[in-house]
Amino acid sequence: MIIVTHQAEQHQFIYQQEGEQAHLRYRHLDADTVEAFNTYVPPALRNAGVADKLARAFYQWTRSQSLTIVPSCSYIEVWLSRHGE
């Protein structure tokens, strides 16, 4: 099972397994807007749905906080076009 952790102080969502760490990083542009600017999954964790889980956790968090997402990360831009509102 993939469990994603939100590290709010570091502005990132992470997944860790066997010394490897995947992340989705974001920054606040203003009180209502966040920019998703970097998603990375190390080769050892690829093809297991990790990036999707990071994106879903990020998306759910932004919805719960009534935040608008500005995707400057290509993965998040594509993910939102397929799954976002």
Side-chain angles (χ1 to χ4, degrees), residues 27-34 67:
R27 61 181 141 242
H28 291 272
L29 298 178
D30 59 39
D32 301 319
T33 310
V34 291
L67 297 169

Side-chain angles (χ1 to χ4, degrees), residues 5 7 10 12-25 39-45 50 54:
T5 303
Q7 294 180 328
Q10 290 82 21
Q12 65 182 356
F13 287 79
I14 65 163
Y15 170 70
Q16 297 182 58
Q17 178 182 320
E18 299 175 9
E20 300 285 346
Q21 180 175 297
H23 65 256
L24 183 155
R25 294 189 175 137
T39 303
Y40 174 74
V41 178
L45 300 179
V50 173
L54 290 167

Side-chain angles (χ1 to χ4, degrees), residues 9-80:
E9 290 183 12
Q10 290 82 21
H11 298 105
Q12 65 182 356
F13 287 79
I14 65 163
Y15 170 70
Q16 297 182 58
Q17 178 182 320
E18 299 175 9
E20 300 285 346
Q21 180 175 297
H23 65 256
L24 183 155
R25 294 189 175 137
Y26 65 92
R27 61 181 141 242
H28 291 272
L29 298 178
D30 59 39
D32 301 319
T33 310
V34 291
E35 176 188 25
F37 68 90
N38 182 256
T39 303
Y40 174 74
V41 178
L45 300 179
R46 291 183 185 160
N47 301 314
V50 173
D52 178 67
K53 295 292 186 190
L54 290 167
R56 286 182 190 281
F58 174 69
Y59 182 76
Q60 290 171 354
W61 171 73
T62 61
R63 292 296 154 248
S64 74
Q65 302 296 308
S66 300
L67 297 169
T68 300
I69 301 169
V70 173
S72 63
C73 165
S74 60
Y75 180 82
I76 296 302
E77 186 173 8
V78 170
W79 191 93
L80 285 171

